[in-house]
Amino acid sequence: MYIVISDDLKSKIENGELKAGDALPSVRDLATQYNSSISTIQRAYDQLESAGYLERIPGKETRVSALMGRVETPSTAWKVFWSYAHRDDELTGGRVTELKQDIQSEYELQTGEALDVFQDSEGIGWGVDWRKVIGDNLGTTSFFIPILTPTYLRRPYCLAELKAAFYRFSELGYERGIYPIEFADIATVLGQMEDDEIARFLDSCQRFSGVDLRVEDRSSAVYKKGIRRIVQSLIERDHELRGAQINLERQRAEMVESEVDDRGIIDVVNDVNAQCEELTENVNGMARGLQQVGEVISSGQPKANSTPKQMLAMIMRISNELTPLSSELRERGSKYRNSVKKLDRSISALMELSEFFGNVEGADQAYKALSNLRDISRPVFSQVESLMETLSTVEKISRQFRKPCADIRSALEDFLSSEAYFSQWVERVRPLVSE
């Protein structure tokens, strides 16, 4: 049915009945005109947009594109996001970057298409980009490739990137979008990881062993065969993930249709506002927890004339005070993460519903709440970064500190892994705001 509707609208565009810039009815109104379901109209609109006949302005309208169907399929079929420890690239004389380049070349050789690989150069700020592609462009297959080494698994920011990818791909139902390449043996470090969830994932997932490739000459047959196997595996996963995306789009359409039937858009806006308040409280709770941890650590500055006995007593005191705080911080972190997921789902529902209803009453209020939440969270993220550095020093003082410091670090990594969400929420809702 959606093909019939799509062809009918395309015919009207091509014969001039609908001209470039003309606004089309909302999905709900068009469903009434064609005596069809909302999900069917959504699929027809999706097809016409992909073909270059329509363009959408979130929260405003869907209109005839000036391209009028004159659009070429992009040569880049999917995106790869390359996550690595910069120190590893330095220690191997640039072999991590060379591995990426060789995978790109082999992919183009096997498929005739360019492979767009994002390799960051300045840290995790790029997380906004890959999350936006994964979350918003469901028609584009995306992969997250972590280059696993002991250094990678010990770097808080690398683990924050991996966690963010793991949570996001898990939400979307295709964890195989994460393709780890083991570039140095990680067995020992993996067994020592405090983050059980990520450790279990890495232990159970299919990792490509690139340890031998690291020491092979790039011109050798062994190296070239290894690169070919990586690319072949990615192409196979590409086919799997395309099927997963089709199912996800179908579920999304069914979810939106259910939302339209059962709830009004004001209900969803109210959800966003209420969940902003809940998440703000959780952010403030994390800030209070960070402050308490910082105060305990600061109180342990030894005096110049401290005896070994006094030093030992101070270490035991700090350890005893940190232990309950670390448990409390992990509990706060769990509540915080759940709040992030709830708000993210509500914002997605809001954006989906805006396509059906056009103007969104109350969007200005939601945008303001999200902007305030982003501004409140920024200094807390800075606190986290500072405390992470302090923990690295503190846990080296005594083994008594290792367990509470590891628990605190796990909670902080959870917190850091969500940093990209806050700014992106604001940007996603911005188009809905009245001018």
Side-chain angles (χ1 to χ4, degrees):
M1 181 63 181
Y2 82 93
I3 295 177
V4 174
I5 296 171
S6 175
D7 287 345
D8 185 44
L9 291 172
K10 183 168 68 173
S11 176
K12 291 179 179 179
I13 293 171
E14 290 178 341
N15 65 25
E17 187 175 341
L18 289 173
K19 297 179 175 57
D22 284 353
L24 272 69
S26 69
V27 173
R28 193 176 193 183
D29 290 343
L30 204 63
T32 301
Q33 290 180 29
Y34 280 95
N35 192 26
S36 179
S37 69
I38 286 174
S39 59
T40 298
I41 300 299
Q42 179 68 60
R43 292 184 71 186
Y45 271 7
D46 286 345
Q47 186 178 59
L48 289 169
E49 184 180 22
S50 298
Y53 285 93
L54 300 181
E55 60 181 347
R56 300 186 195 184
I57 304 175
K60 304 293 183 182
E61 63 185 10
T62 297
R63 63 191 180 193
V64 178
S65 170
L67 293 173
M68 301 288 283
R70 297 186 300 276
V71 61
E72 296 180 359
T73 302
S75 59
T76 302
W78 37 289
K79 271 197 169 187
V80 169
F81 301 95
W82 195 257
S83 176
Y84 68 107
H86 293 188
R87 181 60 176 161
D88 288 332
D89 204 29
E90 295 171 0
L91 292 173
T92 59
R95 291 302 296 264
V96 175
T97 297
E98 290 174 352
L99 178 67
K100 180 209 73 168
Q101 294 168 345
D102 293 334
I103 289 173
Q104 287 178 290
S105 297
E106 179 65 23
Y107 176 84
E108 187 168 357
L109 181 65
Q110 290 194 33
T111 66
E113 298 177 344
L115 177 63
D116 186 15
V117 179
F118 189 96
Q119 179 178 359
D120 73 304
S121 58
E122 310 212 351
I124 67 169
W126 66 275
V128 175
D129 294 329
W130 68 256
R131 184 176 177 275
K132 181 174 178 57
V133 171
I134 294 168
D136 295 344
N137 301 324
L138 294 176
T140 302
T141 304
S142 302
F143 285 92
F144 180 91
I145 300 182
I147 307 304
L148 301 179
T149 65
T151 301
Y152 184 96
L153 295 180
R154 288 192 171 110
R155 291 289 170 89
Y157 289 110
C158 292
L159 284 177
E161 288 182 6
L162 178 57
K163 271 190 171 184
F166 173 72
Y167 293 146
R168 189 58 178 167
F169 276 102
S170 296
E171 289 170 10
L172 295 176
Y174 48 94
E175 290 88 346
R176 278 171 63 80
I178 300 177
Y179 186 78
I181 296 178
E182 188 170 354
F183 209 51
D185 186 75
I186 61 170
T188 301
V189 178
L190 194 59
Q192 297 171 345
M193 284 183 68
E194 296 290 340
D195 191 316
D196 294 337
E197 187 174 33
I198 295 299
R200 284 195 302 270
F201 169 72
L202 291 177
D203 190 50
S204 62
C205 73
Q206 181 182 349
R207 304 195 304 269
F208 181 87
S209 178
V211 177
D212 292 337
L213 295 186
R214 176 169 52 83
V215 295
E216 282 287 338
D217 188 274
R218 293 174 75 191
S219 63
S220 73
V222 172
Y223 183 85
K224 291 180 178 179
K225 287 179 180 177
I227 296 298
R228 187 169 69 247
R229 286 198 303 272
I230 292 175
V231 171
Q232 288 172 342
S233 180
L234 289 175
I235 291 173
E236 289 171 4
R237 291 194 183 203
D238 178 38
H239 294 312
E240 291 177 21
L241 298 185
R242 288 182 187 277
Q245 287 173 342
I246 291 172
N247 290 332
L248 185 63
E249 289 175 348
R250 185 179 299 115
Q251 293 169 9
R252 181 184 68 169
E254 291 172 355
M255 180 274 290
V256 172
E257 188 163 359
S258 174
E259 291 279 4
V260 171
D261 290 339
D262 298 337
R263 308 171 66 215
I265 197 164
I266 292 301
D267 297 322
V268 178
V269 171
N270 287 339
D271 282 350
V272 170
N273 292 332
Q275 287 159 14
C276 276
E277 293 180 9
E278 177 184 326
L279 187 52
T280 297
E281 177 53 38
N282 282 323
V283 169
N284 289 334
M286 287 292 290
R288 290 192 293 270
L290 296 176
Q291 183 177 0
Q292 290 175 316
V293 170
E295 289 173 353
V296 170
I297 292 175
S298 297
S299 71
Q301 298 297 327
K303 297 179 181 179
N305 58 350
S306 295
T307 66
K309 185 176 181 180
Q310 290 173 327
M311 286 288 291
L312 180 60
M314 181 196 69
I315 288 172
M316 293 302 297
R317 176 183 64 78
I318 294 176
S319 178
N320 290 336
E321 291 182 16
L322 282 180
T323 297
L325 285 178
S326 66
S327 299
E328 182 180 339
L329 201 60
R330 289 198 72 169
E331 185 177 344
R332 290 181 187 273
S334 177
K335 291 180 180 178
Y336 164 83
R337 195 170 77 198
N338 289 334
S339 293
V340 168
K341 289 181 178 179
K342 283 168 58 180
L343 180 54
D344 192 57
R345 285 195 294 268
S346 291
I347 291 172
S348 294
L350 178 64
M351 299 307 296
E352 296 287 356
L353 286 172
S354 71
E355 294 185 11
F356 296 93
F357 289 97
N359 293 331
V360 179
E361 184 179 349
D364 291 14
Q365 184 180 355
Y367 176 76
K368 182 177 180 181
L370 289 166
S371 298
N372 288 338
L373 176 61
R374 177 198 58 193
D375 295 342
I376 289 170
S377 68
R378 280 175 173 165
V380 185
F381 283 117
S382 296
Q383 279 184 269
V384 169
E385 293 170 3
S386 176
L387 185 55
M388 291 281 267
E389 294 176 2
T390 302
L391 288 174
S392 297
T393 301
V394 170
E395 64 185 352
K396 294 175 183 176
I397 296 174
S398 169
R399 63 182 180 181
Q400 294 286 339
F401 294 152
R402 291 176 188 170
K403 180 62 169 66
C405 284
D407 287 344
I408 293 169
R409 179 180 288 104
S410 178
L412 299 186
E413 287 169 355
D414 272 351
F415 191 69
L416 280 177
S417 70
S418 66
E419 184 174 6
Y421 282 62
F422 289 78
S423 294
Q424 191 192 349
W425 285 334
V426 174
E427 294 307 312
R428 291 181 72 188
V429 176
R430 187 191 302 275
L432 308 184
V433 177
S434 58
E435 298 177 358

